[in-house]
Amino acid sequence: MMRRSIHMLGRVVRRFLIFLVLLALAAAGAAYWWLHAPLTLHAGGTDGLPLELEIEPGTTPRGVAAAAVKAGVQTDARLLYYWFRLSGQDRQIKAGNYEIPTGTTPYQLLEKLARGESTLRAVTVVEGWTVKQMRAALAKADSLKQDTAALSNEELMRQLGREGVAAEGRFFPDTYAYAKGSSDMDLLKRAMHAMDRRLEAAWSQREADTPLKSADQALILASIVEKETGSASDRGEIAGVFTNRLRSGMLLQTDPTVIYGMGEKFDGNLRKRDLQTDTPWNTYTRAGLPPTPIALPGKAALLAAVQPANTKALYFVSKGDGSSHFSATLDEHNRAVNRYQRGQRSAKGEPE
């Protein structure tokens, strides 16, 4: 009797164990199906559109799950949270702004959040732009938080840790990617540090006999070269002309510095009286380099400033096609001006 009871109990236990195994397999199958089934997204009241999910810094895994559901992921926030925890990647989820496309599964959602694949925008800062033009472009950049809009250039540089340094020329022209909702201050820091690195690299490659006394002077000269260069092939020669003038003590006599010094007064036409009106940036009335850069120079202009072409030229004039004609003597230059700019005021490098 006892043996029979034990046998029956054993069968019950086996059946129960089988039931548990089948239940576990069913649960595992359901979990696998849920993990790899596309989530239903309800973005802004519309099904089928990409969903924008913002994860603030410091958000807990439970908070991330809740934020996903609040943003429009049609599932139980607890399921997402348990998945985050069981995966072991819950602490790897990164803050940022994410675009969740239709067809995303819970598995893919976590992978995106853990890798930090936030939605990126981009803004391009163009070589030769002034700081004013750069800041105007940032003000129009899509989804870039405007934290510096009310700051003057002086206040901006103070907050960037460069109090007393002119903002002009201090930001490297490039294309910068950023996450939606990023601060323009963070982007400006990146651009400033990029210019720091580029300028340091260029200055370390300077010619031994350069008349430039510091990296800051190289930045100023590079900004002038950037504004004067119409054809990239002329850049080194243009830098050579200005280097020769600095060595010999000649006035630089470059129109872009005059225009920069005129500020809002410049109406698109540069007149003889403008060349004769003194400002700190008027290189027709003042010797040497101006006190600050006049634009944002790119890498090529920085290198040209410290490694100018080996030339005897002291003058250049635009040919009208973007390129320039270079001359070693004033007589030759005047003939070039007569040839290329007959009836016009002479030119880059020498006043009328």
Side-chain angles (χ1 to χ4, degrees), residues 228-265:
E228 283 281 23
T229 301
S231 175
S233 61
D234 289 342
R235 190 178 283 112
E237 192 91 0
I238 288 172
V241 168
F242 290 128
T243 297
N244 288 342
R245 286 188 164 225
L246 287 172
R247 283 199 185 106
S248 64
M250 292 178 66
L251 295 174
L252 295 185
Q253 295 182 314
T254 169
D255 293 357
T257 62
V258 178
I259 293 169
Y260 185 84
M262 291 176 67
E264 299 298 328
K265 295 179 182 179

Side-chain angles (χ1 to χ4, degrees), residues 92-98 109-120 179:
Q92 298 177 30
I93 295 174
K94 298 173 177 61
N97 290 271
Y98 297 87
L109 174 62
L110 179 56
E111 289 290 298
K112 180 184 285 285
L113 298 179
R115 286 197 297 261
E117 295 178 358
S118 56
T119 304
L120 296 179

Side-chain angles (χ1 to χ4, degrees), residues 198-239:
R198 295 290 190 179
L199 179 57
E200 181 181 1
W203 185 241
S204 69
Q205 300 175 60
R206 65 190 181 277
E207 298 287 352
D209 62 345
T210 178
L212 302 173
K213 305 301 182 184
S214 66
D216 283 354
Q217 287 195 350
L219 183 63
I220 294 170
L221 179 56
S223 73
I224 297 173
V225 172
E226 190 70 75
K227 295 297 287 186
E228 283 281 23
T229 301
S231 175
S233 61
D234 289 342
R235 190 178 283 112
E237 192 91 0
I238 288 172

Side-chain angles (χ1 to χ4, degrees), residues 1 6 51 125 155 176 224:
M1 191 79 172
I6 293 174
L51 179 149
V125 179
E155 292 169 332
Y176 294 92
I224 297 173

